[in-house]
Amino acid sequence: MDRFLTPDDLGKALRQDVADGLGTRPRTLPAKWFYDERGSELFEEITRLEEYYPTRREREILAARAPEIAEATGAVTLMELGAGSGEKTRMLLEALGGTLRTYMPVDVSGDFLARAAERIAEDHPGLRVRPVVADHERHLALLPGGERRLVVFLGGTIGNMAPAERVAFLSALRATMNDGDALLLGADLVKDERRLVRAYDDARGVTAEFNRNVLNVLNRELGADFVPERFEHVAVWNPGDEWIEMRLRSVAPQVVRVPAVDLEVEFDEGEEMRTEISAKFRRDRLDAEAGAAGLRIDHWWTDPDGDFSLSLLRPA
């Protein structure tokens, strides 16, 4: 397994993000810290919830379009950013069987990544599976290359970035691409506010547990003394930015200590800290942001209800 992230690298990044995000108001934390082993397991559970449509819709598009994607790209190398369990990618692996030689899953969670890669290697004995532990927002230029690459970024994860961050990320990715390479991008689409909020605030409370789990990460890694039960899960639609915000709301006045960054954080009753944004898209926004990054949308697919999109982008 290639490693561009060590536990020490992750620790430094976490300390910096916590110092920056909790040291000022409004309080924020980056969504990537959700995904320790427990967080990854909880997210897999979320993807199976009735309210959480994105995974189902993306899977429907892949099932219908994987042969078309394979024919359009003829990929020899498949690199998946933020690979997670890699379950949806299996449809692409099957469709690309005639040309594909290397599958390169990239994720920050090394243990979870290793187990997922082992399962895929067992199911595809002729495929070279090369897992890479890296932060796709920081290490794009360092990731291994490959012949005729299809870079896959699924799950609507692009929406966890603010607009300027998205363009910067796509620009950095474009800088690594050759003329024959392509990017398969999953993006959730703007829809009824009530459906969006339900998708991030399910009746069983799995998303609430997932959200609060980030506090367990800070307790374990930074010696913080968060009591997760003292924070309520909140999901709201921001119509101006067209994104969902997940927040944690303090249920009472409290002081939390984070010894690893020498920080005492005072929370007022009702004060919220933002833990995730999940932007929803329209085709014209994706066209504009891709163009700003030197990419063009070559193919555009949605599910029959227009809930979710997959687009195939190439260097402009």
Side-chain angles (χ1 to χ4, degrees):
M1 183 185 295
D2 294 315
R3 284 187 176 272
F4 293 93
L5 274 176
T6 67
D8 188 51
D9 291 329
L10 283 170
K12 288 178 181 176
L14 176 59
R15 290 191 294 273
Q16 188 64 57
D17 284 344
V18 169
D20 292 343
L22 298 189
T24 58
R25 283 187 164 105
R27 319 286 190 194
T28 61
L29 287 172
K32 63 185 175 185
W33 301 115
F34 284 135
Y35 297 97
D36 66 344
E37 185 169 1
R38 177 58 179 156
S40 297
E41 291 170 352
L42 284 167
F43 184 72
E44 288 301 310
E45 187 175 350
I46 288 169
T47 65
R48 297 188 289 270
L49 294 171
E50 180 181 354
E51 298 98 326
Y52 194 79
Y53 63 86
T55 302
R56 288 194 304 278
R57 295 295 186 252
E58 188 173 52
R59 189 178 287 119
E60 288 171 11
I61 303 169
L62 282 169
R65 301 295 184 176
E68 191 175 343
I69 294 167
E71 183 177 357
T73 62
V76 175
T77 302
L78 179 65
M79 174 185 286
E80 184 173 12
L81 304 179
S85 67
E87 288 303 312
K88 285 179 290 191
T89 315
R90 289 174 180 269
M91 286 180 274
L92 290 173
L93 296 178
E94 294 292 340
L96 287 163
T99 61
L100 194 67
R101 291 201 285 267
T102 301
Y103 172 53
M104 194 180 303
V106 180
D107 212 302
V108 296
S109 181
D111 293 341
F112 193 79
L113 177 67
R115 287 195 296 275
E118 285 172 7
R119 289 193 295 270
I120 288 176
E122 289 170 1
D123 294 340
H124 298 271
L127 183 67
R128 183 189 182 201
V129 180
R130 185 180 179 184
V132 181
V133 181
D135 181 343
H136 57 255
E137 293 184 44
R138 294 170 49 204
H139 298 122
L140 284 175
L142 302 177
L143 295 178
E147 181 183 353
R148 205 160 63 245
R149 288 188 312 161
L150 173 60
V151 181
V152 177
F153 195 36
L154 298 178
T157 309
I158 188 73
N160 295 149
M161 305 175 193
E165 294 170 333
R166 293 195 296 264
V167 173
F169 168 77
L170 292 172
S171 298
L173 182 56
R174 168 63 183 90
T176 74
M177 296 172 69
N178 297 317
D179 287 342
D181 294 344
L183 165 65
L184 185 66
L185 182 67
D188 199 5
L189 302 178
V190 174
K191 59 184 62 64
D192 180 72
E193 175 183 344
R194 291 166 296 182
R195 286 190 64 210
L196 288 166
V197 171
R198 284 197 300 270
Y200 293 84
D201 193 11
D202 64 279
R204 286 176 47 200
V206 181
T207 310
E209 184 180 353
F210 173 70
N211 196 6
R212 282 191 288 263
N213 184 65
V214 74
L215 305 180
N216 294 324
V217 173
L218 303 192
N219 288 349
R220 183 181 64 247
E221 301 297 332
L222 303 181
D225 60 0
F226 281 98
V227 179
E229 294 74 21
R230 293 179 184 169
F231 290 85
E232 294 176 331
H233 166 68
V234 179
V236 296
W237 173 243
N238 180 328
D241 292 311
E242 294 192 319
W243 64 43
I244 284 282
E245 295 187 10
M246 288 211 317
R247 306 171 185 169
L248 289 171
R249 177 186 294 152
S250 180
V251 300
Q254 55 183 307
V255 177
V256 176
R257 293 164 184 81
V258 191
V261 292
D262 194 26
L263 195 63
E264 283 194 353
V265 187
E266 294 185 10
F267 288 95
D268 297 330
E269 181 176 358
E271 184 174 356
E272 296 176 344
M273 102 180 112
R274 193 179 73 189
T275 53
E276 182 182 71
I277 63 170
S278 184
K280 310 306 171 186
F281 293 88
R282 303 176 191 271
R283 170 71 189 263
D284 57 355
R285 176 185 287 185
L286 281 170
D287 276 324
E289 292 183 1
L295 296 164
R296 60 178 173 83
I297 296 179
D298 195 43
H299 291 76
W300 168 268
W301 303 285
T302 68
D303 60 277
D305 294 328
D307 281 341
F308 201 89
S309 71
L310 279 183
S311 51
L312 190 69
L313 290 83
R314 298 185 186 275

